[in-house]
Amino acid sequence: MPGPGYPPHFVMMLHFFPPSPSSFCFSPLTNSLPFFSVACMSCGTYKQWKNWWIRGILSLTMIIGFFLIIYLGPIMLILVVMGVQIKCFHEIITIGYRVYRSYELPWFRTLSWYFLICVNYFFYGETVADYFGALVQREEPLQFLVRYHRFISFALYLAGFCMFVLSLVKKHYRLQFYMFAWTHVTLLIVVTQSHLVIQNLFEGMIWFIVPISIVICNDIMAYLFGFFFGRTPLIKLSPKKTWEGFIGGFFATVVFSFFFAYLLSQYQYFVCPVEYNSETNRFAVECEPSNLFMIQEYTLPAVVQNAVRWKTVNLYPFQIHSIALSTFASLIGPFGGFFASGFKRAFKIKDFADTIPGHGGIMDRFDCQYLMATFVHVYIASFIRGPNPSKVLQQLLVLQPEQQLSIFNTLRNHLREQGMLPPAVEEAQ
């Protein structure tokens, strides 16, 4: 392990400008993480330094691009999520083609992408029906598509299923079913979870930004703690991971998420649900923040009061939820990476692709993010979100006029029974 003479900024440089494997020296005696050798550094070639600069520039470009995309708003984030989904699907499907030497299978490349289009049509159609009711109400073609959306989606999938059956060739039966299952598992892992990312985004951009940021933070902090203190191997699938990095990354990520949540909770742009404004034909992120993003006073437990001499603290409730999110990102999230490592080892590949020099493929960067997105969606549905008035209204707008009138009368009678509708209003009605 490196001695105390290695300054923190040197370690950060290694994270953003990772040297090639030949620039590392390993300690077979301690079986610990590799440490960077100054002697090895002196033998670096011009090509290695050039690669460092390329990787560093790409890392900075990705960071700047992430903030730029956030600035451009929700529609750009949705497009980016869709682009990432397509690239991840391509990387995993390509591995299947290579491993099973399935380039010659009849129709199969076409069918794989056809199924991707079908599943995206289904999920994005559901999103349009849920969040763009006002737009659907104005456009007659959209009303037809929304009304029969699930039937159309099933018919499209059924057409692909029949094409697959017709493409079966006697000498390739087993291989064709391998690839059929490979495609569907890929759709489940990539496309379904990408849809959940978009669902989280519509709940408020904070539910998109915070989970992504804490996964990145955990990755960096686990690396730093492992680099300085790591001695105990964590899991055989990833020999360079250590218990010290795992535990240190957990505590650092919880602290980061707590203060990052405090920062973002102050701005409507991040905390308001993303809604479509039919008058301006644009997404709106303006609202009266919910209690989740209002400062609340909390009484500390007696043990904590004795330790810090405080009886109460003022926090945003979302900060408390951020602890749950960061705990999952630190303790369970890495298993998404371990799963990906096991997958790559099973097929004897280093990376999913070489899309980003020095980083691997897009899937290499999003293996933990997809698992995190699923957890956030389940967490919101279980502990945060109640009935969504905006979503209910969007659904009401696509009903037939007589159905809307029936619901109106039922609601009016209910409000009268509850005493919430004043007599003057009743007479006016």
Side-chain angles (χ1 to χ4, degrees), residues 160-190:
F161 178 80
C162 292
M163 285 190 288
F164 166 74
V165 173
L166 293 174
S167 72
L168 290 173
V169 179
K170 186 175 182 180
K171 63 179 180 178
H172 292 311
Y173 282 162
R174 181 177 297 181
L175 180 57
Q176 286 181 288
F177 278 101
Y178 278 159
M179 292 308 300
F180 184 78
W182 186 289
T183 299
H184 281 69
V185 171
T186 304
L187 291 171
L188 176 65
I189 293 175
V190 176

Side-chain angles (χ1 to χ4, degrees), residues 39-74:
C40 293
M41 189 176 181
S42 64
C43 65
T45 63
Y46 168 77
K47 184 178 180 180
Q48 289 173 331
W49 280 101
K50 181 179 179 180
N51 288 337
W52 285 18
W53 279 107
I54 292 174
R55 294 168 184 172
I57 291 172
L58 286 172
S59 297
L60 292 175
T61 301
M62 287 188 289
I63 293 173
I64 294 172
F66 179 66
F67 286 106
L68 177 61
I69 292 168
I70 293 173
Y71 174 77
L72 292 176

Side-chain angles (χ1 to χ4, degrees), residues 107-282:
W107 298 4
F108 214 89
R109 292 180 78 89
T110 302
L111 282 175
S112 295
W113 290 100
Y114 176 81
F115 282 125
L116 176 67
I117 293 171
C118 289
V119 175
N120 271 303
Y121 175 82
F122 171 75
F123 281 126
Y124 281 93
E126 293 287 304
T127 299
V128 169
D130 287 343
Y131 296 99
F132 298 85
L135 177 63
V136 171
Q137 189 67 17
R138 293 206 313 260
E139 304 293 337
E140 187 68 28
L142 287 179
Q143 292 182 32
F144 174 82
L145 292 175
V146 168
R147 185 175 299 119
Y148 301 106
H149 170 67
R150 296 193 176 185
F151 179 82
I152 295 172
S153 299
F154 178 71
L156 290 173
Y157 177 82
L158 201 58
F161 178 80
C162 292
M163 285 190 288
F164 166 74
V165 173
L166 293 174
S167 72
L168 290 173
V169 179
K170 186 175 182 180
K171 63 179 180 178
H172 292 311
Y173 282 162
R174 181 177 297 181
L175 180 57
Q176 286 181 288
F177 278 101
Y178 278 159
M179 292 308 300
F180 184 78
W182 186 289
T183 299
H184 281 69
V185 171
T186 304
L187 291 171
L188 176 65
I189 293 175
V190 176
V191 182
T192 303
Q193 296 187 88
S194 297
H195 174 68
L196 299 183
V197 173
I198 295 175
Q199 294 288 306
N200 297 341
L201 175 63
F202 277 105
E203 296 297 326
M205 291 179 65
I206 197 169
W207 293 104
F208 175 89
I209 297 171
V210 169
I212 288 179
S213 300
I214 59 181
V215 169
I216 295 172
C217 173
N218 181 254
D219 185 46
I220 294 175
M221 299 311 297
Y223 170 81
L224 291 177
F225 277 92
F227 187 86
F228 279 113
F229 310 108
R231 294 183 181 277
T232 311
L234 175 63
I235 187 171
K236 291 182 179 180
L237 284 173
S238 296
K240 297 179 183 180
K241 305 293 185 182
T242 65
W243 276 105
E244 291 80 2
F246 185 74
I247 296 171
F250 162 69
F251 287 107
T253 303
V254 170
V255 172
F256 167 80
S257 68
F258 187 80
F259 289 103
F260 190 53
Y262 174 81
L263 176 65
L264 296 189
S265 296
Q266 302 177 53
Y267 300 96
Q268 284 190 9
Y269 182 75
F270 298 118
V271 305
C272 290
V274 177
E275 298 178 354
Y276 179 76
N277 189 323
S278 59
E279 296 180 357
T280 61
N281 288 326
R282 298 179 61 184

